[in-house]
């Protein structure tokens, strides 16, 4: 009788090692793009044989799923804390921006992957949570900006949706250049960013 190839069994991996492997995969995905990355390339970067990686994860897709879901779960833990704090509109914007830069510091590669891959991943049922997260993200930011206009904290002529897109894109694009452990902390970058967004860069005339 012909022999049947056994399917590799995924074995439980200690959390620290699992985190290391996912971190390596995230860096490779961020640098090369998900579709262009092979399991062998991830294994090489992790110092493993290609087949050995399947003892930890059943597919490349599973790795991507865990990278993105871990990042978004942590992001929403922080955002939900901010949104539940009862802060004023400006303080909420400041706290959301600061939390965003902290997440870039913790999950820079995951943010870069999200920016690059989310649009086409949302067509897949496994990644439908990306759509839900995008809707929640938009509601949180638009709602805060609308609250600020209504309270007279932000300009009455503010284009809410344009402002939201500007803030969103200029915050998250930082993942393309930010490196953890650099000269500025995420909190300092957030402070400088908020100063430019909320107060402008021109000297105010007396």
């Amino acid at each position: 009788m012909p022999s049947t190839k056994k399917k590799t069994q995924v074995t439980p991996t200690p959390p620290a090692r699992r985190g290391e492997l996912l971190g390596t995969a995230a860096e490779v995905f961020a640098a090369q793009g998900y579709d262009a990355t092979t399991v062998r390339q991830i294994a090489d970067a992790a110092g493993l044989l290609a087949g050995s990686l399947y003892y930890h994860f059943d597919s490349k897709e599973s790795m991507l799923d865990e990278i993105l879901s871990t990042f978004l779960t942590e992001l929403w833990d922080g955002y939900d804390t901010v949104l539940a704090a009862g802060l004023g509109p400006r303080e909420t914007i400041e706290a959301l921006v600061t939390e965003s830069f902290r997440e870039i510091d913790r999950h820079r590669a995951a943010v870069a992957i999200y920016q690059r891959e989310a649009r086409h991943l949302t067509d897949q049922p496994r990644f439908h949570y990306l759509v839900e997260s995008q809707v929640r993200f938009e509601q949180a930011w638009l709602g805060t900006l609308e609250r600020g206009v209504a309270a007279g904290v932000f300009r009455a002529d503010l284009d809410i949706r344009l402002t939201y897109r500007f803030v969103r894109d200029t915050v998250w694009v930082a993942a393309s250049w930010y490196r953890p452990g650099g000269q500025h902390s995420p909190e300092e970058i957030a402070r400088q960013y908020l100063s430019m967004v909320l107060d402008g860069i021109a000297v105010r005339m007396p």
Side-chain angles (χ1 to χ4, degrees), residues 65-113:
D65 187 6
E66 192 163 341
I67 288 165
L68 292 177
S69 62
T70 298
F71 153 60
L72 287 173
T73 296
E74 189 171 309
L75 175 70
W76 279 107
D77 283 346
Y79 271 24
D80 286 341
T81 298
V82 169
L83 295 170
L87 302 173
R90 177 172 176 135
E91 290 75 19
T92 299
I93 291 291
E94 291 172 343
L96 289 174
V97 167
T98 301
E99 190 61 37
S100 298
F101 278 109
R102 285 174 179 154
E103 284 305 308
I104 292 171
D105 181 64
R106 297 183 192 112
H107 297 289
R108 185 203 60 80
V111 174
I113 296 166

Side-chain angles (χ1 to χ4, degrees), residues 2-6:
S3 60
T4 327
K5 187 177 179 181
K6 284 188 176 182

Side-chain angles (χ1 to χ4, degrees), residues 25-141:
E27 291 294 339
V28 179
F29 288 149
Q32 299 184 182
Y34 174 71
D35 288 337
T37 298
T38 65
V39 170
R40 179 177 294 280
Q41 289 171 325
I42 297 170
D44 287 345
L48 296 173
L49 296 174
S52 300
L53 200 58
Y54 287 109
Y55 286 102
H56 305 281
F57 304 95
D58 62 12
S59 67
K60 185 177 77 164
E61 185 181 61
S62 291
M63 286 184 272
L64 179 65
D65 187 6
E66 192 163 341
I67 288 165
L68 292 177
S69 62
T70 298
F71 153 60
L72 287 173
T73 296
E74 189 171 309
L75 175 70
W76 279 107
D77 283 346
Y79 271 24
D80 286 341
T81 298
V82 169
L83 295 170
L87 302 173
R90 177 172 176 135
E91 290 75 19
T92 299
I93 291 291
E94 291 172 343
L96 289 174
V97 167
T98 301
E99 190 61 37
S100 298
F101 278 109
R102 285 174 179 154
E103 284 305 308
I104 292 171
D105 181 64
R106 297 183 192 112
H107 297 289
R108 185 203 60 80
V111 174
I113 296 166
Y114 181 85
Q115 291 288 93
R116 182 174 183 169
E117 311 285 355
R119 181 169 295 180
H120 72 265
L121 287 173
T122 53
D123 295 332
Q124 303 179 32
R126 181 169 189 165
F127 293 96
H128 190 71
Y129 62 85
L130 297 178
V131 178
E132 297 167 358
S133 184
Q134 288 169 359
V135 171
R136 289 179 66 194
F137 193 84
E138 185 171 301
Q139 289 172 341
W141 286 87

